[in-house]
Amino acid sequence: MTNAPKDRLLVYNVKEGWGPLCKFLGKEIPNKEFPHENKGATIIGKLMKTHPATLRMQREMLFILSALASLGAFGTFKLYKSGHWRLCLHGIFMLKNIFKELFSFGV
């Protein structure tokens, strides 16, 4: 930056809007509002809903939690059938927490 000619260097903050940028480029200021893609940190939410990698992770988590819930349900059933109803209650509470996590993703 110290070697760049002053007429070819723009030190710019996007909060300044169109004005300095258009002046530097020698263009007219557009009639539309300056784009603010990340107002309110919306980029992360958008990526969580649309990016292929995050969608894949969500599907994998859904599968894993579903498998854990199924195993837990089967184990609870086996405990119930063998007469260990107190352990069965503990298993039911664990299942409740697994399903709570499963549906907290908003998937």
Side-chain angles (χ1 to χ4, degrees):
M1 281 181 34
T2 57
N3 296 335
K6 297 291 182 197
D7 62 331
R8 299 200 38 116
L9 175 67
L10 173 65
V11 178
Y12 176 69
N13 186 336
V14 293
K15 293 179 182 177
E16 298 174 33
W18 289 115
L21 181 61
C22 292
K23 181 180 176 185
F24 180 77
L25 295 173
K27 302 288 183 180
E28 289 186 26
I29 296 176
N31 289 335
K32 57 183 173 179
E33 186 179 325
F34 191 80
H36 295 283
E37 182 68 28
N38 198 25
K39 274 187 179 174
T42 57
I43 286 179
I44 298 298
K46 198 179 288 186
L47 283 175
M48 290 297 288
K49 293 177 183 172
T50 61
H51 195 275
T54 57
L55 292 174
R56 181 177 173 208
M57 286 189 294
Q58 288 175 357
R59 282 192 305 270
E60 288 173 359
M61 285 299 294
L62 181 62
F63 175 77
I64 290 168
L65 288 174
S66 297
L68 287 174
S70 298
L71 286 171
F74 180 73
T76 301
F77 172 74
K78 292 300 265 183
L79 285 172
Y80 175 75
K81 289 301 264 182
S82 66
H84 296 24
W85 61 271
R86 287 188 181 145
L87 289 174
C88 179
L89 289 176
H90 180 66
I92 290 171
F93 286 118
M94 285 177 41
L95 280 175
K96 182 188 92 165
N97 290 333
I98 289 173
F99 279 108
K100 185 178 175 183
E101 289 295 318
L102 179 65
F103 294 108
S104 69
F105 285 109
V107 178

